[in-house]
Amino acid sequence: SQVKSLGSNLVMVIPGRGVGPSGGSAPGFRIADAAAIAQNVSGVHAVAPVRMVGVKAVSLRSDWSTQAVGTTPDYFSVAGWTFAEGRPFTEAEYRGARSVCVLGKTVVDELFGHQDPIGASIRLKGLSCEVIGVLRAKGQGAMGQDQDSVVVLPLSTVQRRLAGRIGDRGADRIMVSARDGFSTDRVVRDATEILRERRGIRPGEDDDFSVLDTKQIAEAQTTTTTVLT
C-alpha cells in the first residue's frame, strides 16, 4: 500500500540498474525521452519527467530542508496526488518557467503553521516562488521517507534556477501511468525498447536504465530494506 501511494498503475524509469544508489554515473533522461514514451507506448495515460534537488525552503516564519521536485503538470495525476487547496501549475506556467510552487503538507506545517500559505512566497536558494497549491497528505513512504516533504515546481524553473548546469539530460527519472485495465508489463517492455534505441544501446548490450512497475519497485525496496537490516 505504501508503494501504491507513489501513483496509480505506476511505471518508473530510472538510470542504472534497480532501485537505490546503483545508478552510479548512468546518464539521466532527456525531456524528449518522456515525450517519446507518451507518443509511442500503447496504454499510457500520462508521462511526467522529474528532476529532484535538495533545497532549504525559507518563509518569513521558518525554514525547512526538503526536496524540490521539478516536473510537468501531468505529474500530479501520475503520482496520485490530490489537492487540499489551491491548484496545480498550468502548461503555460511550465512552458514559461514561472516561479510558482505546490507544497506538501509537511512543508506547509513547518513553514506556515496554521496560516494559509496560498498566495504567499517562499525562497528556495536564490529563487522566490509563489505558493499556488497544497497537496493532501500521503504519509510515510515505503522506505520510511516523508512523502509530504516536497515542493513541486515546473521542471523548466528547476532547470534554469535550481539545478545548475545539467545539460540536455534534465530529468533523473520518468514516471509513467498506465491506463486502467492495461498491462503494465507491456508498458515496461515497450518503454524499454524505445529507450534502448534512443540511448544507442546495441543488441546484446546491457541497459543503462531500469523500467519498473509497482510490484518490481516493492520487491526492490524490500530487498534494500533487508540488506540494510
Side-chain angles (χ1 to χ4, degrees):
S1 64
Q2 289 175 327
V3 173
K4 270 196 166 184
S5 73
L6 292 170
S8 178
N9 302 326
L10 179 69
V11 171
M12 184 87 76
V13 186
I14 56 177
R17 303 299 303 161
V19 175
S22 59
S25 59
F29 303 102
R30 296 182 172 92
I31 309 307
D33 294 333
I37 292 172
Q39 294 167 7
N40 299 297
V41 176
S42 300
V44 167
H45 170 66
V47 179
V50 174
R51 176 80 180 192
M52 303 187 74
V53 180
V55 295
K56 178 175 284 188
V58 181
S59 70
L60 292 175
R61 178 179 180 272
S62 184
D63 60 72
W64 182 251
S65 294
T66 185
Q67 285 280 346
V69 178
T71 187
T72 60
D74 281 336
Y75 168 78
F76 300 103
S77 64
V78 172
W81 287 107
T82 56
F83 279 73
E85 58 178 316
R87 62 174 180 85
F89 52 82
T90 65
E91 186 68 24
E93 288 169 329
Y94 162 68
R95 293 188 180 281
R98 294 287 302 278
S99 297
V100 293
C101 58
V102 174
L103 306 184
K105 186 177 185 304
T106 297
V107 179
V108 172
D109 291 345
E110 295 293 337
L111 296 188
F112 294 97
H114 298 294
Q115 297 177 353
D116 184 1
I118 301 298
S121 292
I122 65 170
R123 193 170 73 253
L124 309 170
K125 295 185 178 179
L127 170 67
S128 178
C129 62
E130 178 189 356
V131 179
I132 60 171
V134 175
L135 300 168
R136 291 193 186 279
K138 280 191 177 185
Q140 191 178 70
M143 291 293 287
Q145 78 278 18
D146 182 359
Q147 296 184 91
D148 302 313
S149 184
V150 291
V151 179
V152 187
L153 307 94
L155 176 58
S156 49
T157 306
V158 170
Q159 287 176 315
R160 295 180 190 181
R161 305 290 297 278
L162 294 179
R165 297 178 61 85
I166 58 176
D168 63 346
R169 294 189 181 274
D172 54 27
R173 68 192 64 187
I174 299 173
M175 298 177 68
V176 183
S177 64
R179 293 199 302 263
D180 288 340
F182 202 90
S183 170
T184 55
D185 291 342
R186 183 173 173 184
V187 173
V188 168
R189 184 188 68 233
D190 292 350
T192 299
E193 290 180 2
I194 287 173
L195 289 175
R196 282 183 63 87
E197 180 179 348
R198 291 185 60 83
R199 290 162 80 88
I201 300 173
R202 298 174 181 174
E205 292 182 342
D206 291 336
D207 297 338
D208 63 354
F209 62 92
S210 299
V211 185
L212 309 170
D213 61 19
T214 48
K215 179 181 177 183
Q216 292 168 313
I217 294 169
E219 290 172 348
Q221 291 187 330
T222 299
T223 300
T224 301
T225 303
T226 302
V227 170
L228 290 174
T229 301

Coordinates of all heavy atoms in Angstrom, one line a residue, residues 29-108:
F29 N 17.8 11.4 -18.2 CA 17.0 11.3 -19.4 C 16.7 12.7 -20.0 O 16.7 13.7 -19.2 CB 15.6 10.7 -19.0 CG 15.8 9.3 -18.4 CD1 15.8 9.2 -17.0 CD2 16.1 8.2 -19.2 CE1 15.9 7.9 -16.4 CE2 16.3 7.0 -18.6 CZ 16.2 6.8 -17.2
R30 N 16.5 12.8 -21.3 CA 16.1 14.0 -21.9 C 14.6 14.1 -21.8 O 13.8 13.1 -21.7 CB 16.5 14.0 -23.4 CG 18.0 14.0 -23.6 CD 18.3 14.0 -25.1 NE 19.7 14.1 -25.4 CZ 20.6 13.1 -25.5 NH1 20.1 11.9 -25.4 NH2 21.9 13.4 -25.7
I31 N 14.1 15.4 -21.8 CA 12.6 15.6 -21.8 C 12.0 14.9 -23.0 O 10.9 14.4 -23.0 CB 12.3 17.1 -21.8 CG1 13.1 17.8 -20.7 CG2 10.9 17.4 -21.7 CD1 12.9 17.2 -19.3
A32 N 12.7 14.9 -24.1 CA 12.2 14.2 -25.3 C 12.0 12.7 -25.1 O 11.2 12.1 -25.8 CB 13.2 14.5 -26.5
D33 N 12.8 12.1 -24.2 CA 12.6 10.7 -23.9 C 11.2 10.5 -23.4 O 10.5 9.5 -23.7 CB 13.6 10.2 -22.9 CG 15.1 10.2 -23.5 OD1 15.2 10.1 -24.8 OD2 16.0 10.3 -22.7
A34 N 10.8 11.3 -22.5 CA 9.4 11.2 -21.9 C 8.4 11.4 -22.9 O 7.4 10.7 -23.0 CB 9.3 12.2 -20.8
A35 N 8.6 12.4 -23.8 CA 7.7 12.6 -24.9 C 7.6 11.4 -25.8 O 6.5 11.1 -26.3 CB 8.1 13.9 -25.7
A36 N 8.7 10.8 -26.1 CA 8.7 9.6 -27.0 C 7.9 8.4 -26.4 O 7.2 7.7 -27.1 CB 10.1 9.1 -27.3
I37 N 8.0 8.3 -25.1 CA 7.2 7.2 -24.4 C 5.7 7.6 -24.5 O 4.9 6.7 -24.8 CB 7.7 7.1 -22.9 CG1 9.1 6.5 -22.9 CG2 6.7 6.2 -22.1 CD1 9.7 6.5 -21.5
A38 N 5.4 8.8 -24.2 CA 4.0 9.2 -24.3 C 3.4 9.0 -25.6 O 2.2 8.6 -25.8 CB 3.9 10.7 -23.8
Q39 N 4.2 9.3 -26.7 CA 3.6 9.2 -28.0 C 3.6 7.8 -28.6 O 2.8 7.5 -29.5 CB 4.4 10.1 -28.9 CG 4.3 11.6 -28.6 CD 5.3 12.5 -29.3 OE1 6.1 12.0 -30.1 NE2 5.4 13.7 -28.9
N40 N 4.5 6.9 -28.2 CA 4.8 5.7 -28.9 C 4.5 4.4 -28.1 O 4.5 3.3 -28.6 CB 6.2 5.6 -29.4 CG 6.5 6.7 -30.4 OD1 6.0 6.8 -31.4 ND2 7.5 7.6 -30.0
V41 N 4.2 4.5 -26.8 CA 3.9 3.3 -26.0 C 2.4 3.2 -25.8 O 1.7 4.1 -25.3 CB 4.6 3.4 -24.6 CG1 4.2 2.2 -23.7 CG2 6.1 3.4 -24.8
S42 N 1.8 2.1 -26.2 CA 0.4 1.9 -26.0 C 0.0 1.7 -24.6 O 0.8 1.2 -23.8 CB 0.0 0.6 -26.8 OG 0.2 0.7 -28.2
G43 N -1.2 2.2 -24.2 CA -1.7 2.0 -22.9 C -1.2 3.0 -21.9 O -1.5 2.9 -20.7
V44 N -0.6 4.1 -22.4 CA -0.1 5.1 -21.4 C -1.1 6.2 -21.2 O -1.7 6.7 -22.1 CB 1.2 5.8 -22.0 CG1 1.5 7.1 -21.2 CG2 2.4 4.8 -21.9
H45 N -1.4 6.5 -19.9 CA -2.3 7.5 -19.6 C -1.6 8.9 -19.5 O -2.1 9.8 -20.1 CB -3.0 7.2 -18.2 CG -3.8 8.3 -17.6 ND1 -4.9 8.8 -18.2 CD2 -3.6 9.1 -16.5 CE1 -5.4 9.8 -17.5 NE2 -4.6 10.0 -16.5
A46 N -0.5 8.9 -18.9 CA 0.2 10.2 -18.7 C 1.7 9.9 -18.4 O 2.0 8.8 -17.9 CB -0.4 11.1 -17.7
V47 N 2.6 10.8 -18.7 CA 4.0 10.7 -18.5 C 4.5 12.0 -17.9 O 4.2 13.1 -18.4 CB 4.8 10.4 -19.8 CG1 6.3 10.3 -19.6 CG2 4.2 9.1 -20.5
A48 N 5.4 11.9 -16.9 CA 6.0 13.0 -16.3 C 7.5 12.9 -16.1 O 7.9 12.0 -15.2 CB 5.3 13.4 -15.0
P49 N 8.3 13.6 -16.7 CA 9.8 13.6 -16.4 C 9.9 14.4 -15.0 O 9.2 15.3 -14.7 CB 10.4 14.4 -17.5 CG 9.3 15.3 -18.0 CD 8.0 14.6 -17.8
V50 N 10.9 13.9 -14.2 CA 11.1 14.5 -12.9 C 12.6 14.8 -12.7 O 13.4 14.0 -13.0 CB 10.6 13.5 -11.8 CG1 10.9 14.0 -10.4 CG2 9.1 13.3 -12.0
R51 N 12.8 15.9 -12.0 CA 14.2 16.3 -11.6 C 14.1 16.7 -10.1 O 13.3 17.5 -9.7 CB 14.7 17.5 -12.4 CG 16.1 18.0 -11.9 CD 17.2 17.1 -12.4 NE 18.5 17.6 -11.9 CZ 19.7 17.1 -12.4 NH1 19.7 16.2 -13.3 NH2 20.8 17.5 -11.9
M52 N 14.8 16.0 -9.2 CA 14.8 16.3 -7.8 C 16.0 17.0 -7.3 O 17.2 16.6 -7.7 CB 14.5 15.0 -7.0 CG 13.3 14.3 -7.5 SD 12.8 12.8 -6.5 CE 12.2 13.6 -5.0
V53 N 15.9 18.0 -6.5 CA 17.0 18.8 -6.0 C 16.8 19.0 -4.5 O 15.7 19.5 -4.1 CB 17.1 20.1 -6.7 CG1 18.3 20.9 -6.2 CG2 17.3 19.9 -8.2
G54 N 17.8 18.7 -3.7 CA 17.7 19.0 -2.3 C 17.8 20.5 -2.0 O 18.7 21.2 -2.6
V55 N 16.9 21.1 -1.3 CA 16.9 22.6 -1.1 C 16.5 22.9 0.4 O 15.9 22.0 1.1 CB 15.9 23.3 -2.0 CG1 16.3 23.2 -3.4 CG2 14.5 22.8 -1.8
K56 N 16.8 24.1 0.8 CA 16.2 24.6 2.0 C 15.1 25.6 1.7 O 15.4 26.6 1.0 CB 17.3 25.3 2.9 CG 16.7 25.9 4.2 CD 17.8 26.5 5.1 CE 18.5 25.4 5.8 NZ 19.5 26.0 6.8
A57 N 13.9 25.3 2.1 CA 12.8 26.2 1.8 C 12.7 27.2 3.0 O 12.7 26.8 4.2 CB 11.5 25.4 1.7
V58 N 12.5 28.5 2.7 CA 12.5 29.5 3.7 C 11.3 30.4 3.5 O 11.0 30.9 2.4 CB 13.8 30.4 3.6 CG1 13.8 31.5 4.6 CG2 15.0 29.6 3.6
S59 N 10.5 30.6 4.6 CA 9.4 31.6 4.7 C 9.8 32.7 5.6 O 10.8 32.7 6.3 CB 8.1 30.8 5.1 OG 8.2 30.5 6.5
L60 N 8.8 33.6 5.8 CA 9.1 34.7 6.8 C 9.1 34.1 8.2 O 9.7 34.7 9.1 CB 8.0 35.7 6.7 CG 8.0 36.6 5.4 CD1 6.8 37.5 5.4 CD2 9.3 37.4 5.3
R61 N 8.5 32.9 8.4 CA 8.3 32.4 9.7 C 9.4 31.4 10.1 O 9.8 31.3 11.3 CB 6.9 31.7 9.8 CG 6.6 31.0 11.1 CD 5.2 30.4 11.0 NE 4.8 29.7 12.2 CZ 5.0 28.5 12.4 NH1 5.7 27.7 11.6 NH2 4.6 27.9 13.6
S62 N 9.9 30.6 9.1 CA 10.7 29.5 9.4 C 11.5 29.0 8.2 O 11.4 29.6 7.1 CB 9.9 28.3 10.0 OG 10.7 27.3 10.5
D63 N 12.3 27.9 8.3 CA 12.9 27.3 7.2 C 12.9 25.8 7.4 O 12.7 25.3 8.5 CB 14.3 27.8 7.0 CG 15.2 27.5 8.2 OD1 15.6 26.3 8.4 OD2 15.6 28.4 8.9
W64 N 13.0 25.0 6.3 CA 12.9 23.6 6.3 C 13.7 23.0 5.1 O 13.5 23.4 4.0 CB 11.4 23.2 6.2 CG 11.1 21.7 6.3 CD1 10.7 20.9 5.3 CD2 11.3 20.9 7.5 NE1 10.6 19.6 5.7 CE2 10.9 19.6 7.1 CE3 11.7 21.1 8.8 CZ2 10.9 18.5 7.9 CZ3 11.7 20.0 9.7 CH2 11.3 18.8 9.2
S65 N 14.5 22.0 5.4 CA 15.2 21.3 4.4 C 14.3 20.2 3.7 O 13.7 19.4 4.5 CB 16.5 20.6 4.9 OG 17.4 21.5 5.4
T66 N 14.2 20.2 2.4 CA 13.2 19.4 1.7 C 13.7 19.1 0.3 O 14.8 19.3 0.0 CB 11.8 20.1 1.7 OG1 10.8 19.3 1.2 CG2 11.9 21.4 0.9
Q67 N 12.8 18.5 -0.5 CA 13.1 18.1 -1.9 C 12.3 19.0 -2.8 O 11.1 19.1 -2.6 CB 12.7 16.7 -2.2 CG 13.7 15.6 -1.6 CD 14.9 15.5 -2.5 OE1 15.0 15.9 -3.6 NE2 15.9 14.8 -1.9
A68 N 13.0 19.7 -3.7 CA 12.3 20.4 -4.8 C 12.1 19.4 -5.9 O 13.0 18.7 -6.4 CB 13.1 21.6 -5.3
V69 N 10.9 19.2 -6.4 CA 10.5 18.3 -7.5 C 10.2 19.1 -8.7 O 9.1 19.8 -8.7 CB 9.3 17.4 -7.1 CG1 9.0 16.4 -8.2 CG2 9.7 16.6 -5.8
G70 N 11.0 19.1 -9.7 CA 10.7 19.8 -11.0 C 10.1 18.8 -11.9 O 10.6 17.7 -12.1
T71 N 9.0 19.2 -12.5 CA 8.2 18.2 -13.3 C 7.2 19.0 -14.2 O 7.3 20.2 -14.4 CB 7.5 17.2 -12.4 OG1 6.9 16.2 -13.2 CG2 6.4 17.9 -11.5
T72 N 6.3 18.3 -14.8 CA 5.3 18.8 -15.7 C 3.9 18.7 -15.0 O 3.8 18.0 -14.0 CB 5.3 18.1 -17.1 OG1 5.0 16.7 -16.8 CG2 6.7 18.1 -17.8
P73 N 2.9 19.4 -15.6 CA 1.6 19.3 -15.0 C 1.0 17.9 -14.8 O 0.2 17.7 -13.9 CB 0.7 20.2 -15.9 CG 1.7 21.2 -16.5 CD 3.0 20.4 -16.7
D74 N 1.4 17.0 -15.7 CA 0.9 15.6 -15.6 C 1.4 14.9 -14.4 O 0.8 13.8 -14.0 CB 1.3 14.8 -16.8 CG 0.4 15.1 -18.1 OD1 -0.7 15.6 -17.9 OD2 0.9 15.0 -19.2
Y75 N 2.4 15.4 -13.7 CA 3.0 14.7 -12.5 C 1.9 14.4 -11.5 O 1.9 13.4 -10.8 CB 4.1 15.5 -12.0 CG 4.6 15.1 -10.6 CD1 5.4 14.0 -10.5 CD2 4.2 15.8 -9.5 CE1 5.9 13.6 -9.2 CE2 4.7 15.4 -8.2 CZ 5.5 14.3 -8.1 OH 6.0 13.9 -6.9
F76 N 1.0 15.4 -11.2 CA 0.1 15.2 -10.1 C -0.8 14.0 -10.3 O -1.1 13.3 -9.3 CB -0.7 16.5 -9.9 CG 0.2 17.7 -9.7 CD1 0.5 18.6 -10.6 CD2 0.8 17.9 -8.4 CE1 1.3 19.7 -10.4 CE2 1.6 19.0 -8.1 CZ 1.9 19.9 -9.1
S77 N -1.3 13.8 -11.5 CA -2.1 12.6 -11.8 C -1.3 11.3 -11.8 O -1.7 10.3 -11.3 CB -2.9 12.8 -13.0 OG -2.1 12.8 -14.2
V78 N -0.1 11.4 -12.4 CA 0.7 10.2 -12.5 C 1.1 9.7 -11.1 O 1.1 8.5 -10.8 CB 2.0 10.5 -13.3 CG1 3.0 9.3 -13.2 CG2 1.7 10.8 -14.8
A79 N 1.5 10.6 -10.2 CA 2.0 10.3 -8.9 C 0.8 10.1 -7.9 O 1.1 9.9 -6.7 CB 2.9 11.4 -8.4
G80 N -0.4 10.3 -8.3 CA -1.6 10.1 -7.4 C -1.8 11.2 -6.4 O -2.3 10.9 -5.3
W81 N -1.4 12.4 -6.7 CA -1.6 13.5 -5.7 C -3.0 14.1 -5.9 O -3.4 14.2 -7.0 CB -0.5 14.6 -5.9 CG 0.8 14.3 -5.5 CD1 1.9 14.0 -6.2 CD2 1.3 14.2 -4.1 NE1 3.0 13.8 -5.5 CE2 2.7 13.9 -4.2 CE3 0.7 14.4 -2.9 CZ2 3.4 13.8 -3.0 CZ3 1.4 14.3 -1.7 CH2 2.8 13.9 -1.8
T82 N -3.6 14.5 -4.8 CA -4.8 15.3 -4.9 C -4.5 16.6 -4.1 O -3.6 16.6 -3.3 CB -6.0 14.6 -4.3 OG1 -5.7 14.2 -2.9 CG2 -6.4 13.4 -5.1
F83 N -5.4 17.6 -4.2 CA -5.1 18.9 -3.7 C -6.0 19.1 -2.4 O -7.2 18.9 -2.5 CB -5.3 20.0 -4.7 CG -4.1 20.2 -5.6 CD1 -3.8 19.2 -6.6 CD2 -3.3 21.2 -5.5 CE1 -2.7 19.3 -7.4 CE2 -2.2 21.4 -6.3 CZ -1.9 20.4 -7.2
A84 N -5.4 19.6 -1.4 CA -6.1 20.1 -0.2 C -6.7 21.5 -0.4 O -7.8 21.8 0.0 CB -5.3 20.1 1.0
E85 N -6.0 22.3 -1.1 CA -6.4 23.6 -1.5 C -5.5 24.1 -2.7 O -4.5 23.6 -2.9 CB -6.4 24.6 -0.4 CG -5.0 24.8 0.3 CD -5.1 25.8 1.4 OE1 -5.8 26.8 1.3 OE2 -4.5 25.5 2.5
G86 N -6.0 25.1 -3.3 CA -5.3 25.7 -4.4 C -5.3 24.9 -5.7 O -6.3 24.1 -5.9
R87 N -4.3 24.9 -6.5 CA -4.3 24.3 -7.8 C -2.9 23.9 -8.2 O -1.9 24.3 -7.7 CB -4.9 25.3 -8.8 CG -4.0 26.6 -9.0 CD -4.4 27.5 -10.1 NE -3.6 28.7 -10.2 CZ -2.4 28.7 -10.9 NH1 -2.0 27.6 -11.5 NH2 -1.7 29.8 -11.0
P88 N -2.8 23.0 -9.3 CA -1.5 22.7 -9.9 C -1.1 23.9 -10.8 O -1.9 24.7 -11.1 CB -1.8 21.4 -10.7 CG -3.2 21.5 -11.0 CD -3.9 22.2 -9.9
F89 N 0.2 23.9 -11.2 CA 0.6 24.8 -12.2 C 0.1 24.4 -13.6 O -0.1 23.2 -13.8 CB 2.1 25.1 -12.2 CG 3.0 23.8 -12.2 CD1 3.3 23.2 -13.4 CD2 3.5 23.3 -11.0 CE1 4.1 22.1 -13.5 CE2 4.3 22.1 -11.1 CZ 4.6 21.5 -12.3
T90 N 0.0 25.3 -14.5 CA -0.6 25.0 -15.8 C 0.5 24.7 -16.8 O 1.7 24.9 -16.5 CB -1.4 26.2 -16.3 OG1 -0.5 27.4 -16.4 CG2 -2.5 26.6 -15.3
E91 N 0.1 24.3 -18.0 CA 1.1 24.1 -19.1 C 1.8 25.4 -19.5 O 3.0 25.4 -19.7 CB 0.3 23.5 -20.3 CG 1.2 23.1 -21.4 CD 2.1 21.9 -21.1 OE1 1.7 21.1 -20.2 OE2 3.2 21.7 -21.8
A92 N 1.0 26.5 -19.5 CA 1.6 27.8 -19.8 C 2.6 28.2 -18.8 O 3.7 28.7 -19.1 CB 0.5 28.8 -19.9
E93 N 2.4 27.9 -17.5 CA 3.3 28.2 -16.4 C 4.6 27.4 -16.5 O 5.7 27.8 -16.3 CB 2.7 28.1 -15.1 CG 1.7 29.2 -14.8 CD 0.8 28.9 -13.5 OE1 0.6 27.7 -13.2 OE2 0.4 29.9 -12.9
Y94 N 4.4 26.1 -16.9 CA 5.5 25.2 -17.2 C 6.4 25.7 -18.3 O 7.6 25.8 -18.2 CB 5.0 23.8 -17.4 CG 6.0 22.9 -18.1 CD1 7.2 22.5 -17.4 CD2 5.9 22.5 -19.4 CE1 8.1 21.7 -18.0 CE2 6.8 21.6 -20.0 CZ 8.0 21.2 -19.3 OH 8.9 20.5 -19.9
R95 N 5.7 26.0 -19.4 CA 6.5 26.5 -20.6 C 7.2 27.8 -20.4 O 8.2 28.1 -21.0 CB 5.6 26.5 -21.8 CG 5.1 25.1 -22.3 CD 4.3 25.2 -23.6 NE 3.9 23.9 -24.0 CZ 4.6 23.0 -24.6 NH1 5.9 23.2 -24.8 NH2 4.1 21.8 -24.9
G96 N 6.6 28.6 -19.6 CA 7.1 29.9 -19.3 C 8.1 30.0 -18.1 O 8.6 31.0 -17.7
A97 N 8.4 28.8 -17.5 CA 9.3 28.7 -16.4 C 8.9 29.7 -15.3 O 9.8 30.3 -14.7 CB 10.8 28.9 -16.8
R98 N 7.6 29.7 -15.0 CA 7.1 30.6 -14.0 C 7.6 30.2 -12.6 O 7.8 29.0 -12.3 CB 5.6 30.7 -14.0 CG 5.1 31.3 -15.3 CD 5.3 32.8 -15.3 NE 4.7 33.5 -14.2 CZ 3.4 33.8 -14.1 NH1 2.6 33.5 -15.2 NH2 2.9 34.4 -13.1
S99 N 7.7 31.2 -11.7 CA 8.1 30.9 -10.3 C 6.9 30.6 -9.4 O 6.5 31.5 -8.6 CB 9.0 32.1 -9.8 OG 10.1 32.2 -10.5
V100 N 6.3 29.5 -9.6 CA 5.2 29.1 -8.8 C 5.5 27.7 -8.2 O 6.3 26.9 -8.8 CB 3.9 29.0 -9.7 CG1 3.5 30.4 -10.1 CG2 4.0 28.1 -10.9
C101 N 4.8 27.4 -7.1 CA 5.1 26.1 -6.5 C 3.9 25.5 -5.7 O 3.0 26.3 -5.3 CB 6.3 26.2 -5.5 SG 6.1 27.4 -4.2
V102 N 3.9 24.2 -5.6 CA 2.9 23.5 -4.8 C 3.6 22.8 -3.6 O 4.6 22.2 -3.8 CB 2.2 22.5 -5.7 CG1 1.2 21.6 -4.9 CG2 1.5 23.2 -6.8
L103 N 3.0 22.9 -2.4 CA 3.7 22.4 -1.2 C 3.0 21.1 -0.7 O 1.8 21.0 -0.7 CB 3.7 23.5 -0.1 CG 4.2 24.8 -0.5 CD1 4.2 25.7 0.8 CD2 5.6 24.8 -1.0
G104 N 3.9 20.2 -0.2 CA 3.4 19.1 0.6 C 3.0 19.6 2.0 O 3.5 20.6 2.4
K105 N 2.2 18.7 2.7 CA 1.7 19.1 4.0 C 2.8 19.4 5.0 O 2.7 20.3 5.8 CB 0.7 18.1 4.5 CG 0.0 18.5 5.8 CD -1.0 17.5 6.3 CE -1.8 18.0 7.5 NZ -0.9 18.4 8.6
T106 N 3.8 18.6 5.0 CA 4.9 18.8 6.0 C 5.6 20.1 5.8 O 5.8 20.9 6.8 CB 6.0 17.7 5.8 OG1 5.4 16.4 6.1 CG2 7.1 17.9 6.8
V107 N 5.8 20.5 4.5 CA 6.4 21.8 4.3 C 5.5 23.0 4.7 O 6.0 24.0 5.3 CB 6.8 22.0 2.8 CG1 7.4 23.3 2.5 CG2 7.7 20.9 2.3
V108 N 4.2 22.8 4.5 CA 3.2 23.8 4.9 C 3.3 23.9 6.5 O 3.3 25.0 7.0 CB 1.8 23.5 4.5 CG1 0.8 24.4 5.1 CG2 1.7 23.6 3.0

